[in-house]
Amino acid sequence: MLDPPAHFSTVFEEPLTEMVETLQQRGFGLVSGQYVRRILDNITSNLVKYADPCSDILVRFVQEEDRAGLCFENRVLPVPASSESTKVGLPSIETMMEKMQGICRIEQPEGIFRM
């Protein structure tokens, strides 16, 4: 039986911090703890604003060739959120990923948002 759902930060903050520390100890100098925190904050903000709360948010680890990362996938709210978008969240994530020599891919098949 699965544990009951928990807050995102409760589940991911410690493991992601440990992951960053492990990568840095092994000589990977491209991960910025500050950027990782800001990226996760932006992702969380977007999920709160635009994800359909009636559907699960899927978070999975992915690996492609010599890269590893996280994939977030959610159903999009059927009606746009009432709050105005500043349209800076996703470009900020992409910029921070580029500065760490990473990649941010965004896909939007019908009714789904995947990053």
Side-chain angles (χ1 to χ4, degrees):
M1 185 166 183
L2 293 175
D3 293 336
H7 290 276
F8 185 87
S9 62
T10 304
V11 174
F12 285 100
E13 186 170 6
E14 185 178 330
L16 288 175
T17 300
E18 290 173 6
M19 180 178 154
V20 169
E21 289 171 1
T22 299
L23 291 172
Q24 288 176 332
Q25 288 172 358
R26 296 195 179 213
F28 294 96
L30 304 178
V31 180
S32 164
Q34 180 181 8
Y35 282 166
V36 170
R37 182 171 295 277
R38 287 178 55 201
I39 288 167
L40 291 174
D41 285 346
N42 284 356
I43 291 170
T44 302
S45 176
N46 283 351
L47 290 169
V48 167
K49 289 179 190 174
Y50 307 114
D52 184 347
C54 296
S55 298
D56 291 338
I57 297 169
L58 304 176
V59 181
R60 57 191 163 91
F61 288 95
V62 294
Q63 182 174 358
E64 294 178 359
E65 299 172 17
D66 62 344
R67 296 181 181 268
L70 295 171
C71 177
F72 297 86
E73 182 176 319
N74 61 276
R75 285 210 150 280
V76 179
L77 280 170
V79 177
S82 60
S83 62
E84 283 291 315
S85 172
T86 60
K87 304 215 186 268
V88 297
L90 295 179
S92 293
I93 292 170
E94 290 171 330
T95 299
M96 288 183 276
M97 289 299 297
E98 286 173 11
K99 287 181 178 181
M100 294 187 293
Q101 298 182 11
I103 298 169
C104 175
R105 286 196 194 102
I106 297 170
E107 299 172 358
Q108 294 179 286
E110 187 68 30
I112 301 289
F113 181 85
R114 186 178 305 124
M115 176 188 300

